């Protein structure tokens, strides 16, 4: 680990690996550890803050959140030679709960991406109530993949649902843009998007979220 930011995937589907291997100029260090989760123990001695991105519902945007938060944190912490932040991408299934529990042993906090879709609500609730809350770790639910073209009904409904559960919610919202979907194929993270209107707006969402959560800055 030589960079200020490190990304670890413990997802057996290895979507983070597939994406990271396509990035020609990776702005952070990276490793895949689903077969060797015991290696996470070394994080205890780094002094870095460890952010676990978790939701046992697949397809909620954990990999996108982990890689792009890492990218904006790395952008803010350029030229630092000490490891400061670690982002762990976790499995989106109940079958691999042991891997998530292992990651939580070394976590500073937990990020829970939640799209504004009713089908994601119950799995997210189980993840929070059965796994995250018992860990005692601070966590934040982040509304992810909201399409502004659909209006604000789903957004407000999701915000109300989160608040009704008493879960801490990030004010920042990650909007849905095709550029995010294409990025994994093109081998880019949000800090490498084109500087057009959509690229800048997509980038802005992650910078706002990172600033709100204190990743890469005060």
């Amino acid at each position: 680990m030589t960079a200020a930011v490190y990304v670890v995937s413990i997802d057996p589907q290895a979507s983070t690996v597939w994406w990271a291997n396509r990035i020609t100029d990776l702005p952070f260090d990276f490793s895949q550890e689903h077969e060797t989760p015991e290696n996470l123990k070394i994080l205890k001695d780094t002094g870095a803050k460890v952010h676990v991105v978790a939701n046992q519902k697949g397809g909620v945007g954990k990999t996108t959140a982990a890689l792009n938060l890492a990218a904006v944190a790395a952008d803010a912490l350029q030229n630092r030679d000490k490891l400061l932040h670690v982002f762990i991408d976790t499995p989106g299934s109940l079958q691999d709960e042991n891997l998530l529990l292992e990651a939580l042993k070394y976590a500073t906090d937990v990020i829970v991406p939640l799209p504004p879709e009713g089908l994601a609500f119950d799995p997210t609730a189980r993840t929070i109530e059965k796994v995250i809350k018992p860990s005692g770790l601070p966590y934040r639910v982040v509304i992810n993949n909201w399409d502004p073209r659909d209006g604000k009904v789903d957004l407000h409904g999701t915000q109300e649902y989160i608040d009704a559960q008493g879960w801490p919610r990030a004010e920042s919202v990650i909007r849905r843009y095709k550029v995010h979907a294409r990025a994994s194929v093109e081998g880019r993270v949000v800090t490498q998007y084109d500087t057009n209107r959509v690229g800048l707006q997509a980038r802005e969402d992650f910078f706002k979220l990172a600033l709100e959560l204190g990743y890469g800055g005060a």
Side-chain angles (χ1 to χ4, degrees), residues 144-176:
N144 182 57
N145 210 27
W146 167 58
D147 193 336
R149 296 173 300 179
D150 294 337
K152 294 188 176 181
V153 174
D154 290 340
L155 173 63
H156 289 164
T158 304
Q159 290 171 330
E160 290 169 1
Y161 170 74
I162 295 169
D163 295 345
Q165 308 310 308
W167 302 336
R169 169 172 59 85
E171 292 297 325
S172 304
V173 174
I174 304 301
R175 292 169 286 186
R176 176 186 297 173

Side-chain angles (χ1 to χ4, degrees), residues 3 15 24 33 39 46 49 57-58 67 79 97 103 118 122 125 130 133 139 148 150 164 173 179 188 195 209 216 218:
S15 53
T24 56
E33 305 291 351
N39 288 347
T46 64
K49 293 182 178 179
K57 172 75 171 69
L67 288 179
N79 303 318
E97 188 170 294
D122 284 350
K130 301 293 186 182
K133 276 190 176 181
Y139 66 94
D150 294 337
V173 174
V179 66
R188 293 194 291 176
T195 53
L209 179 61

Side-chain angles (χ1 to χ4, degrees), residues 8 17 38 41 58 60 67 88-89 113 121 126 148 162 171 181-183 190:
V8 185
V17 179
E38 63 274 10
K41 291 179 182 178
V60 298
L67 288 179
I88 302 182
D89 186 22
F121 289 2
R126 186 204 178 278
I162 295 169
E171 292 297 325
R182 290 196 301 263
V190 71

Side-chain angles (χ1 to χ4, degrees), residues 52-71:
V52 172
V53 183
N55 193 324
Q56 292 172 303
K57 172 75 171 69
V60 298
K62 291 186 296 294
T63 299
T64 300
L67 288 179
N68 284 329
L69 281 171

Side-chain angles (χ1 to χ4, degrees), residues 49 73 76-77 80 85 207-218:
K49 293 182 178 179
L77 296 168
R80 305 288 183 94
H85 292 279
F207 272 102
K208 282 183 175 179
L209 179 61
L211 183 62
E212 179 181 349
L213 298 178
Y215 303 163

Side-chain angles (χ1 to χ4, degrees), residues 52-207:
V52 172
V53 183
N55 193 324
Q56 292 172 303
K57 172 75 171 69
V60 298
K62 291 186 296 294
T63 299
T64 300
L67 288 179
N68 284 329
L69 281 171
V72 298
D75 187 76
L77 296 168
Q78 293 180 48
N79 303 318
R80 305 288 183 94
D81 56 6
K82 178 183 178 182
L83 181 62
L84 298 174
H85 292 279
V86 178
F87 294 86
I88 302 182
D89 186 22
T90 62
S93 70
L94 297 176
Q95 289 75 17
D96 297 305
E97 188 170 294
N98 61 309
L99 293 172
L100 173 55
L101 290 171
E102 186 67 18
L104 294 176
K105 291 180 183 178
Y106 312 106
T108 304
D109 61 4
V110 187
I111 307 155
V112 186
L114 174 62
E117 301 167 5
L119 288 175
F121 289 2
D122 284 350
T124 302
R126 186 204 178 278
T127 303
I128 292 173
E129 300 296 335
K130 301 293 186 182
V131 183
I132 297 174
K133 276 190 176 181
S135 75
L137 290 165
Y139 66 94
R140 199 83 63 93
V141 180
V142 177
I143 297 177
N144 182 57
N145 210 27
W146 167 58
D147 193 336
R149 296 173 300 179
D150 294 337
K152 294 188 176 181
V153 174
D154 290 340
L155 173 63
H156 289 164
T158 304
Q159 290 171 330
E160 290 169 1
Y161 170 74
I162 295 169
D163 295 345
Q165 308 310 308
W167 302 336
R169 169 172 59 85
E171 292 297 325
S172 304
V173 174
I174 304 301
R175 292 169 286 186
R176 176 186 297 173
Y177 289 110
K178 285 184 178 179
V179 66
H180 288 319
R182 290 196 301 263
S184 60
V185 178
E186 296 172 350
R188 293 194 291 176
V189 285
V190 71
T191 51
Q192 299 165 336
Y193 288 178
D194 294 337
T195 53
N196 53 31
R197 179 181 60 84
V198 171
L200 291 173
Q201 288 176 333
R203 186 185 309 179
E204 178 186 37
D205 288 350
F206 279 99
F207 272 102

Side-chain angles (χ1 to χ4, degrees), residues 1-8 26-31 83:
M1 303 178 206
T2 58
V5 177
Y6 180 45
V7 175
V8 185
L26 199 64
F28 42 74
D29 286 339
F30 171 81
S31 69
L83 181 62

